Structures are given as C-alpha cells and as structure tokens.
Amino acid sequence: MGTGVQAYISYRVITKTNLPEFEGPEKIVIRRYSDFEWLHDRLSEKYKGIFIPSLPEKNAVEKFRFSKEFIELRRRALDLFVNRIAVHPELKQSEDFRIFLQADEEKMDRARSYETGIFKKPSDFLQMFKTKVSDVVLGKEKPVEESSPEYEKLKNYIFELENHLAEAQKQAFRLVKRHRELGQSLADFGKAIKLLGACEGDSLEKVFSEVGSKSEMLSVKLQKEADNLLFNFEEPLKDYVRAVQSIKATLVDRANAFRQHYDLYREKEYKEHNLGKLQFVDREKFAELELKADSDEATKRFEHIVAVMNEELARFQEQKTADIGLAFHEFAKGQAKLAKDIADAWRGVLPKLEACSS
Amino acid sequence: MMSSAPPPPNLPADADGDMESLPLAPTASDYASVSSTFDPLLSSASLPTPIAAAPFPLSPSSFVDPPSYADVSASSSSFSPLSSAPSSSPRSARAAACEYALIAVSDPTPEAEPAATSLVPGSAPTYISYLVTSARRSGGAGGGGERRYAVRRRFRDFVTLADRLAESFRGHFVPPRPDKNTVESQVMQRDEFVAQRRAALERYLWRLAEHPAIGASDELRVFLQAEGKMPLPTSTDVASRMLDGAARLPRQLMGEEAVAAPQEVVQPAKGGRDLLRIFKELKQSVVSDWGGVKPPLVEEDKEFLDKKQKLQDWEQQLTSASQQAEALVKAQQDMGETMGALGLAFIKLTKFETEEAMYNSQRIRAADSKRIATAAVKASRACRDLNTQTVKYLDTLHEHLGIMLSVHTAFSDRASALLTVQTLMSDLASLQLRIEKLEAAASKIFGGDKTRHRKVEELRETIRATEDAKCCALREYERIKAAYAEKIVEGWETVAEETSGYARRSDNNLAW
C-alpha cells in the first residue's frame, strides 16, 4: 500500500472461531505492523505478570524492509504472536484482542487513539535496577528490590539466559551466511571446472563437465538449506531470545509493583506507629484509611504478579523445550540430508573419474 | 561402502527419542577405514594417519586449529609414484619408465657456513643441508642390487641444478624448482618451514626424474650421485658478465670478433657476455616488430600457433579454476569454524541450563542442546578434515600453474632462438649486399684493387662464419620446437588423475 517513504506492508488476519463472543464463524481484517504493536502494548498494560508474546523487531534498514525474506519472517512471527495470545487462558479473553481481530478500520482507528500507556523501552530495564543519582543526593537509599533468594535466582537466570541464547542465535545466523557463501563458491568453482574441461577436450571434457554440473547442483541445495536454516533454526532461536526479553519486561513490572507495595507499606506502618503520638482529626483518619486501602491494594497487586509469574514460568519452560526441540530436529534433519546429497553427488562422479584416469 | 548410514527419511516430530536414533558422526576408528578405502592413489600405509587418528573427545576447550598448509605438505611426505602401482595411469607408466627407482630427501640438519667469520663464537650463520638418497633402476636382465647413493645437498645446490638444467634444456618444459626465500635466517630454522621445503624439494626431484629428457641427463645424475661438494659449476653473476662483455665491445666495434662463435649462438643473447650481439638482436627485434624485412623463418607453422593458443586458454582456465578452488576451500573452512562456534555456544547453554535447572523441562532441553552441540562439533571437525584433503589437491592445481611458468620460459627460449636466427640472417643479407657493392666497385676500376680484393675475401670469410653460426642457431631452434609435443599430453593427463582424487576426498564429508 502506498509508495515511497510512506509505503508499508499490510497483513491479512483471518480468524476462524466458534466462540460466542465473536461476530461470526470467520472474519478477515487488514492490519499493519503498528496495529500489532498497539495490541501488544495494551496487553502489556492490562495483564501484569503474564509474559506477553513477543513481536518481531520493529526497526529494519529501509532497503531490507521490503525483501521477500524479511516480509515472510515477519509474517511468521506475527502469526505466532496472534496464535499464542489465542491459546493463552487469560489473554485470549482480552477485549482489545477481540477488537484487533474484528474491528473495521474506523473502529480500529478510534481504539488506537485511546492509547495512553507508558511504553517500555529497553533502557528502562537497566534503569530499574540502578541507583538514581537524584536518590542518592536526596539521601534516599538504593531503590528497594526484593531480596528473596528465589527472586535473585530468577533474575540472574533470566539475564544470563539471554546472553547465552543471543550468542547461539548469532552463530546460527552466521551459519546461514556460511551456507550461502559455500553455495556461491561451489557454483563458481563448477563453472570454472567446466571451462577448464573444455580446454582439455575428449573424455576429460565430459568428466570435468560432470564434476562442474554436480558442483552447481550442490550449490542450489546449499542455498535451499540456508533458507531452511534461517526459517526453521535461526528464527526459532531469535524467537526464544525475544521471549526472554518479554520476561525481562515482566520483571520490570514486578519490580515496580514491589516498590509501590513497599513504599506504601512503609508509609502505612509509619503512620500506624505514630498513631498514638499524634492528635487526630476526622479528616486525617479518613486519609489514613485511604492509605491503608491503597497499601493493601498495592500489596495484593504485587503478590498477584508473583503468583502469575510462577505459573507463567512453568508454562514458559515447557513451551520452550518443545519449540527448541523442534528447531533442533529441523536443524539436524536438514544438515543430514544435505550431507547425504553431497556424498551421493560425489560418489556418482567417482566411477566416471576412475574410468577416465585409468 | 560407507561406514555411516544416512538417517531414515521420516522422523516423527517427537524430538526426544528420535534424537537418540539419529546416527551421527562415526567414531574415530571408522574414520580411518573410511579414508583408507577410498584412496587408491596413495597406499593406505602412507595415508596421512595423523589425521585419522586424531582423538574426538568432546572437550569444549580444545579445538583443533584449522589445518595449515604446512600440515598438508608435511603429511604428503610419502608422495611416491611407486605406490600408485595398482592404477595403470600415464603417471605410473612414466614412473615405471623412470631411470630412478627411488628418490628421497630427508634429514634436514643445520650446518655452519665454512669460512664465515663471526665476532661471537658459536653464532656462525648456519644453513640447512638435506640428505638426498637415490637408487638407479637397474636395467636389463638379472639385475643385481640397485646401487644406492646418498649425498648431502643444500638449497643453494638445488638452485644451481635448476639453473644448469634451464640452460641445457632450452625449449623443454623444465619443472620449476621450489621458491627461494629472502627472509632472515630465523625463519629458515623453523621446523614447519623446513618440513615444507623438504617435501617440496623431494617432489621437485621426482618431477625432474620423471621428465623423459631430464631424467636421463648427466646433470641430474651427477647431482644425485657425486659425493662431496656440489659438482656442477655455479653460474657467474651478472656483474662480471657485463664486465667481460664491456671489455670485448671495443674489439667488436673495430671489426674483429664480428661474429659470435657457434657455441655461443646456442645460448640466448640476453644475459650473455656479448654486448654487441645483444644490441644487434635488439635492433632486429625492433625491425621485426615494425614489420620490416621478414626473413622466411618468421612464418611459424600453423600447428605451433594453434597449440600455443590452446595452451594459453588452458592456462587461463587453470588460473581461474585455481582461484575458485581457493575460494571454495576458504568457504569450507569458514563453515567448519562457524559450525564449531555454534557447537560451543550450545555447550555453554547446556551447562548453564543444567546448573540452573528448576524445572524438568529444562533438563530435557539441556540434554537436547548437548546432543546438538556434540553433533555440531563433530561436523566442524569433519569439515576441517575434508578441507585438509581438499587443500592437497588444490596444491596440484597450483603446481600445474607452476608448470605453466616453465612453459612460458620455453616459449621465450624459442622466441629468443628465433631472434638469433633472424639477426644472423639479416647480417648475412647485409654482408651479401656489401660484397656485391664492392664487386661492382671493383669491376669499375681497371686492374682491380688489391685491397678491395682482400676486403672481398674477408667478407666472404665473414659470410661463411655467419652461415655456420646461422646453421647452429637454426638447429637449436628446431630442437626447441621438437621438445613441446610430448609434454603437452602428459600435462593434461596428470590433471585428470589428480582431480579424480579430489572427488574421492569429498566423500569424507559424511559425518552425519
């Protein structure tokens, strides 16, 4: 749609359902990437504690943005996104999700204009866990964090896991590139050998031409395997990394909730402690009650997040084992087939070469 | 028969159980059997066993370095046509016809330069000397024991041999000798370099021995058999040659020594002592270039020109194939490295998840990770082994390129011989002209002029001498032309054999 700088890709979202909340058994809508973003942000705001399914990367080099590969990868990732929401027991009930799946352009526009949430930027993650200069100046202590061993363990696990996964994903991406490079080399080599054979003439020429053809054929297979690796091995690893980043976002929510709970709790305690010392007017008593209500609510919110997170973690581990297991399987399968093809190709040429050299 | 079977075509999605059943890389012993079965060119005994016997432990910290060129050259030490007896290729035929049954270069030992003065005792500059053993094939019936010879030679001696052969076998495709190295003595002493050089020298001597003309030559025989110091005269350096030439020039200009002696004519003018000759031939080449008087010899025979064109095409394709082969090797090496790095990343992930495991699904995932990592590392090693073999055959392409160098030399030998002939012919032509003029002049003067007669006689002598020289030059030229034919076929067939070996090596990449 559109041309030039304003151009964007739109995606067709098809919903098939027999749930009563929906307007019909099948619905097709057109959405663009920013619509998906909107949905993601709405869900992040409303469902604290839940690991919201991740989106594919937002930014891409302008030139790359319209390549077939990129578009297909993005499409797959968006497809996963939507489907993961649809199977999550809580998220699938979201009103915003329903709007996303069904609303026409007008309604969607209106819904989008209501957005008010605080968007999480990657810098937020680090900020949360660092001491603010202003705090120190004002004499406040380091922002308080949970100190339970489980929390510490979880936090360290998540951060380190991301590092390991990022490394694995980086190597997987390089491996895709190597396959392409090797494919290209083989093609060039095949051509050169064929030309060399033409110089030799007679039987030698035929054999060289055979070797050259096989090289070119294998080059094609290598390119295909490169694609396979990209979609079925590297992308799942990337998806894994994104999932871990989503967990980090949830950790931020948790930390915020904790701080709120902690601050209000402390304030409440302080007021209660000084109850006896101060003269109370009705108005202040009311304020105190409000404070207590707020504090209790903050505590409840925090505890809710913790409980939800624990459930989510268990689900996450299960899910990831299955996802990555599949990716490993595809990887091994692809590599095995490629190696077999290579061996077969060369074995096929051998008898001809042997006949030629004897 | 390959020892590792390909995986079954349909694997159900259940990752766990079937990961186990996926047959991955063969064990170390399988590797040895795989490599030895598919290599009739080299006997299994002489196969690079160091590579096959390399241990395959899964230790993330120990990763084999990518094969260096040195490993490849060093491990091809058993390069010897004799062990290719099973295949009746043109190469073994050549080997069978070869004068020598054995040539080996071994035992590199440092020796001190004699007559070297050094300020600090014990740090005299040293050179490496090699033990060259050879055995002549005893011809004829009831052959007695082959006489074995063992002499010590240093690299400088090989250079001398190469120079002598280049002079004696002009027009032949003289195999190029290994490169000199203009690096400091530190490099010379290093084991890797010495091993490379030793292997290269051995290959060089074999190539010489297999050459139908050079193999039977005295120069080679003397080199291999004469004990003690190097028997062949070293060529004098350019400076003294120029000086000698400069000394002769005045005499030549005065009219004496106007003609080059026949034996000198046989060598090219350039680099020789006869400056006058150099100038004359230079002038002639300019004349020829500008399409001046063309003596009949300039017409090359069509066949030669055809062959020359073919050879040039061949060289071009060979160069391009060689370049592509290098690129291919690099791509394969990169692949192996990245695969290894991937394996390493997964090993780290495995360790991490195992340590931190809180859920059972994590442990399962860690086990899967580990299997993938193992497979990746093994594939990486297989890739590197494949590359080692590939590099060996890449070496062949390069050697052939080296031969092209000697072809070029031969071409230029022929060209300079032709130039000599042409120069002499035009000399002859101008001398004839002078005689005619003088005779015409003489006939005009009554009574004849004694001095003029004498001049005419002298000129006639000169002509005769020039004719002699021209005959020699012509003979030399024809001889060079004849030297080409046999080499061409030989060269092509060698390439075929050696590329068949490459295909066999590729089979090694069955690690899954």
Side-chain angles (χ1 to χ4, degrees):
Chain A
M1 281 204 203
T3 47
V5 184
Q6 294 294 325
Y8 63 89
I9 306 285
S10 61
Y11 301 89
R12 207 162 357 125
V13 180
I14 306 171
T15 315
K16 294 200 173 110
T17 177
N18 44 23
L19 289 174
E21 301 88 46
F22 283 80
E23 294 168 3
E26 184 169 315
K27 186 78 185 202
I28 301 180
V29 292
I30 308 288
R31 296 282 177 256
R32 49 187 292 190
Y33 182 81
S34 47
D35 295 330
F36 289 84
E37 266 188 311
W38 168 86
L39 177 61
H40 179 271
D41 293 335
R42 301 290 295 162
L43 293 175
S44 308
E45 272 178 58
K46 292 226 179 96
Y47 293 91
K48 303 284 186 197
I50 294 184
F51 304 157
I52 310 296
S54 48
L55 284 174
E57 278 74 28
K58 180 182 171 77
N59 299 313
V61 180
E62 193 60 46
K63 215 176 50 167
F64 186 49
R65 195 125 61 100
F66 293 99
S67 81
K68 264 173 62 183
E69 219 172 66
F70 175 77
I71 292 176
E72 175 60 16
L73 279 171
R74 191 174 249 206
R75 186 200 65 77
R76 288 196 191 195
L78 292 174
D79 187 273
L80 264 178
F81 169 70
V82 169
N83 278 293
R84 279 173 178 159
I85 296 175
V87 300
H88 193 286
E90 296 212 35
L91 292 177
K92 69 186 187 188
Q93 303 181 28
S94 147
E95 176 76 36
D96 293 311
F97 186 47
R98 268 202 291 281
I99 295 178
F100 177 84
L101 289 179
Q102 300 182 97
D104 56 30
E105 278 288 323
E106 223 191 290
K107 212 165 162 210
M108 195 66 212
D109 278 341
R110 247 185 298 138
R112 270 210 299 269
S113 60
Y114 288 151
E115 54 189 331
T116 50
I118 306 161
F119 302 130
K120 293 211 184 53
K121 298 195 302 284
S123 50
D124 287 352
F125 301 153
L126 290 175
Q127 275 291 80
M128 289 300 153
F129 301 106
K130 269 199 201 150
T131 316
K132 285 217 193 70
V133 176
S134 50
D135 288 348
V136 175
V137 166
L138 291 172
K140 285 198 198 156
E141 297 162 357
K142 187 171 106 168
V144 189
E145 273 190 80
E146 296 177 59
S147 55
S148 64
E150 295 91 42
Y151 177 71
E152 283 298 317
K153 193 164 181 220
L154 177 64
K155 207 176 74 165
N156 290 331
Y157 172 73
I158 292 297
F159 274 77
E160 246 200 274
L161 181 63
E162 188 186 7
N163 291 338
H164 285 295
L165 286 176
E167 174 69 20
Q169 185 257 322
K170 187 173 86 168
Q171 297 302 340
F173 182 71
R174 257 200 222 148
L175 194 67
V176 171
K177 207 165 68 142
R178 299 294 184 223
H179 276 72
R180 294 211 201 280
E181 285 166 2
L182 187 58
Q184 186 60 50
S185 286
L186 260 179
D188 292 338
F189 178 75
K191 256 197 288 217
I193 281 288
K194 272 180 170 171
L195 284 173
L196 186 59
C199 284
E200 308 273 353
D202 299 332
S203 60
L204 271 180
E205 177 174 4
K206 273 217 298 270
V207 176
F208 273 37
S209 157
E210 179 96 19
V211 170
S213 302
K214 284 277 156 74
S215 294
E216 289 173 334
M217 184 267 285
L218 285 178
S219 159
V220 170
K221 292 216 193 254
L222 272 163
Q223 296 295 352
K224 279 230 291 271
E225 176 63 13
D227 287 337
N228 180 40
L229 274 178
L230 180 66
F231 283 94
N232 298 322
F233 183 61
E234 195 256 347
E235 182 62 14
L237 279 173
K238 226 188 286 68
D239 179 66
Y240 200 164
V241 173
R242 286 189 210 120
V244 173
Q245 284 166 345
S246 165
I247 299 181
K248 273 164 92 174
T250 316
L251 277 176
V252 170
D253 287 340
R254 176 171 166 156
N256 281 339
F258 176 77
R259 216 168 301 170
Q260 272 185 348
H261 142 81
Y262 184 80
D263 288 341
L264 284 174
Y265 189 79
R266 279 262 292 250
E267 220 184 301
K268 185 190 76 173
E269 292 275 296
Y270 175 76
K271 283 249 164 82
E272 278 178 5
H273 176 76
N274 291 310
L275 198 59
K277 298 187 184 168
L278 297 171
Q279 279 284 336
F280 268 101
V281 175
D282 263 340
R283 203 170 24 126
E284 284 182 346
K285 186 113 192 210
F286 181 68
E288 189 225 311
L289 272 174
E290 238 183 40
L291 178 61
K292 183 165 192 312
D294 284 344
S295 169
D296 287 344
E297 171 145 356
T299 308
K300 252 211 308 237
R301 245 184 286 137
F302 169 68
E303 283 168 356
H304 172 77
I305 289 184
V306 172
V308 167
M309 273 192 88
N310 285 336
E311 271 177 40
E312 286 283 288
L313 269 168
R315 264 186 77 243
F316 167 76
Q317 299 287 18
E318 291 274 341
Q319 188 62 50
K320 275 330 181 183
T321 303
D323 288 345
I324 285 301
L326 181 62
F328 285 165
H329 173 79
E330 290 296 323
F331 175 54
K333 209 164 68 160
Q335 289 293 304
K337 175 150 198 324
L338 182 67
K340 179 172 182 306
D341 286 340
I342 292 176
D344 284 344
W346 294 129
R347 227 179 292 139
V349 192
L350 267 183
K352 302 202 179 88
L353 281 171
E354 277 165 355
C356 175
S357 60
S358 57
Chain B
M1 189 217 117
M2 298 304 292
S3 45
S4 56
N10 305 314
L11 283 170
D14 173 24
D16 241 287
D18 286 292
M19 286 302 230
E20 287 298 324
S21 68
L22 197 66
L24 295 174
T27 57
S29 59
D30 283 344
Y31 247 97
S33 68
V34 162
S35 10
S36 53
T37 331
F38 283 100
D39 202 4
L41 268 189
L42 296 171
S43 68
S44 29
S46 62
L47 198 80
T49 32
I51 294 170
F56 286 96
L58 183 63
S59 51
S61 48
S62 68
F63 268 82
V64 179
D65 286 312
S68 65
Y69 206 73
D71 293 342
V72 170
S73 325
S75 64
S76 64
S77 58
S78 49
F79 176 87
S80 130
L82 269 190
S83 54
S84 71
S87 62
S88 53
S89 55
R91 173 176 253 173
S92 52
R94 273 206 310 280
C98 176
E99 292 260 345
Y100 296 92
L102 158 74
I103 294 186
V105 175
S106 57
D107 186 30
T109 338
E111 288 182 26
E113 294 270 5
T117 53
S118 61
L119 295 173
V120 182
S123 72
T126 55
Y127 62 88
I128 304 281
S129 77
Y130 302 87
L131 183 67
V132 180
T133 38
S134 59
R136 221 184 164 99
R137 199 186 294 275
S138 52
E146 302 170 337
R147 172 83 200 276
R148 270 183 173 242
Y149 296 90
V151 294
R152 283 234 142 233
R153 295 278 179 253
R154 59 183 290 188
F155 187 75
R156 221 181 266 180
D157 298 334
F158 283 85
V159 175
T160 309
L161 173 67
D163 292 341
R164 290 276 81 69
L165 288 174
E167 280 173 21
S168 313
F169 289 91
R170 286 181 68 205
H172 286 264
F173 292 176
V174 180
R177 60 158 171 77
D179 291 328
K180 287 192 201 181
N181 270 73
T182 49
V183 220
E184 1 85 65
S185 54
Q186 276 291 72
V187 179
M188 304 291 184
Q189 306 286 345
R190 278 227 321 257
D191 291 336
E192 196 177 299
F193 175 79
V194 171
Q196 248 181 287
R197 178 166 270 192
R198 188 210 59 74
L201 288 173
E202 193 173 287
R203 278 203 303 277
Y204 172 61
L205 286 180
W206 267 117
R207 288 227 131 104
L208 290 182
E210 287 178 354
H211 191 288
I214 295 181
S217 73
D218 284 336
E219 283 93 346
L220 184 63
R221 189 174 52 80
V222 160
F223 179 86
L224 290 174
Q225 297 179 352
E227 304 228 2
K229 287 194 66 183
M230 179 68 175
L232 299 172
T234 52
S235 21
T236 50
D237 59 314
V238 185
S240 63
R241 264 190 265 140
M242 290 304 280
L243 279 174
D244 281 345
R248 283 172 61 192
L249 189 57
R251 291 211 299 273
Q252 286 174 319
L253 289 174
M254 290 284 98
E256 301 166 23
E257 283 197 50
V259 179
Q263 68 269 21
E264 280 188 18
V265 157
V266 172
Q267 291 298 322
K270 267 199 227 148
R273 296 165 206 245
D274 192 342
L275 289 173
L276 190 65
R277 192 168 145 224
I278 293 175
F279 296 148
K280 272 163 79 173
E281 295 198 353
L282 197 59
K283 189 180 86 174
Q284 178 64 32
S285 65
V286 173
V287 166
S288 303
D289 270 348
W290 284 97
V293 175
K294 274 193 155 61
L297 262 169
V298 172
E299 275 164 40
E300 310 277 10
D301 52 291
K302 191 105 189 350
E303 205 185 304
F304 169 73
L305 281 173
D306 271 345
K307 286 223 176 110
K308 183 168 180 198
Q309 185 58 45
K310 272 209 188 136
L311 269 171
Q312 278 173 337
D313 284 341
W314 191 67
E315 177 184 7
Q316 197 185 352
Q317 298 313 331
L318 192 58
T319 315
S320 121
S322 164
Q323 280 172 340
Q324 296 311 330
E326 266 197 66
L328 184 64
V329 165
K330 176 158 193 316
Q332 264 174 200
Q333 185 168 318
D334 286 344
M335 175 75 92
E337 275 177 22
T338 303
M339 188 64 90
L342 183 73
L344 187 62
F346 275 114
I347 288 177
K348 288 199 185 137
L349 184 65
T350 304
K351 252 180 64 178
F352 170 68
E353 288 262 45
T354 318
E355 282 167 12
E356 305 279 329
M358 296 179 284
Y359 299 86
N360 200 36
S361 50
Q362 270 176 300
R363 290 196 195 87
I364 297 174
R365 200 164 63 230
D368 289 342
S369 252
K370 184 159 182 204
R371 276 186 220 115
I372 281 286
T374 316
V377 169
K378 279 189 181 161
S380 164
R381 278 167 204 253
C383 226
R384 280 168 187 169
D385 290 347
L386 166 67
N387 240 22
T388 313
Q389 305 296 329
T390 313
V391 170
K392 243 203 254 181
Y393 292 99
L394 168 68
D395 198 23
T396 307
L397 278 174
H398 280 149
E399 273 184 27
H400 281 284
L401 274 179
I403 289 174
M404 284 314 298
L405 192 63
S406 55
V407 169
H408 280 295
T409 314
F411 274 135
S412 71
D413 282 346
R414 183 189 166 112
S416 49
L418 180 60
L419 186 60
T420 310
V421 171
Q422 288 179 356
T423 314
L424 285 172
M425 285 189 73
S426 75
D427 267 355
L428 252 175
S430 58
L431 280 172
Q432 293 280 31
L433 266 168
R434 278 168 65 186
I435 288 186
E436 278 168 26
K437 271 205 208 130
L438 274 174
E439 283 184 339
S443 61
K444 285 198 190 129
I445 299 174
F446 289 113
D449 193 350
K450 259 228 170 119
T451 40
R452 264 189 239 267
H453 268 289
R454 204 168 12 103
K455 268 227 174 89
V456 171
E457 281 309 313
E458 275 175 24
L459 277 172
R460 289 233 163 84
E461 271 301 318
T462 316
I463 289 175
R464 236 171 281 134
T466 313
E467 289 270 9
D468 278 343
K470 180 186 140 200
C471 281
C472 278
L474 253 175
R475 233 184 296 134
E476 171 73 8
Y477 177 64
E478 291 298 324
R479 192 178 63 74
I480 288 176
K481 274 168 75 175
Y484 286 123
E486 75 216 11
K487 288 303 274 179
I488 293 176
V489 171
E490 185 186 292
W492 289 348
E493 282 172 347
T494 316
V495 172
E497 277 171 57
E498 282 157 355
T499 43
S500 75
Y502 167 72
R504 275 180 261 256
R505 283 298 111 221
S506 289
D507 246 352
N508 246 354
N509 185 18
L510 191 64
W512 301 89

